[in-house]
Amino acid sequence: QVQLVESGGGLVQPGGSLRLSCEVSGFNLRNYAIGWFRQAPGKAREGVSCASATGGPTYYADSVKGRFTITRDNAKNIVYLEMKNLNSEDAAVYYCAAPKSPYCSGTVWVENGVDYWGKGTLVTVSS
């Protein structure tokens, strides 16, 4: 069965960087879109980034453009989220998320498009 397992969360100082990983099992990542959501305390879950299979668009939330980068290692069935210049608004539980489609929208990334979820990894930003 499909499983998404996140890792890499932890404590980082403001301005620091962190790389999250999501290991995918149960399907070949090469053929499908994959991405990340986050949820901060008291806030709704927010689509952060989504990476299409080859030839499709990539989505980033406006709040993370220029700071976060999503990358895929299709051979290893792993997707990464590299986060730079972190601030307190980035503190959240980050969830790996997969649709059944090969493609992300490129303009929206919302929960009703997600078929599989990881359990999340906590990112804390504090000095």
Side-chain angles (χ1 to χ4, degrees), residues 33-105:
I34 189 76
W36 296 88
F37 283 74
R38 67 185 182 186
Q39 188 166 28
K43 298 182 180 179
R45 191 148 27 183
E46 172 190 22
V48 175
S49 186
C50 184
S52 295
T54 300
T58 300
Y59 170 84
Y60 292 100
D62 288 344
S63 58
V64 308
K65 285 181 180 176
R67 299 189 299 118
F68 289 15
T69 303
I70 188 168
T71 57
R72 306 165 58 105
D73 188 334
N74 291 327
K76 294 183 178 179
N77 261 26
I78 299 174
V79 62
Y80 302 99
L81 185 68
E82 185 177 10
M83 307 182 294
K84 297 182 178 179
N85 195 23
L86 287 161
N87 58 64
S88 61
E89 296 181 347
D90 298 313
V93 177
Y94 283 73
Y95 298 91
C96 189
K100 291 187 286 188
S101 173
Y103 304 115
C104 312
S105 164

Side-chain angles (χ1 to χ4, degrees), residues 9-20:
L11 176 65
V12 63
Q13 295 182 352
S17 300
L18 205 61
R19 188 178 74 163
L20 308 182

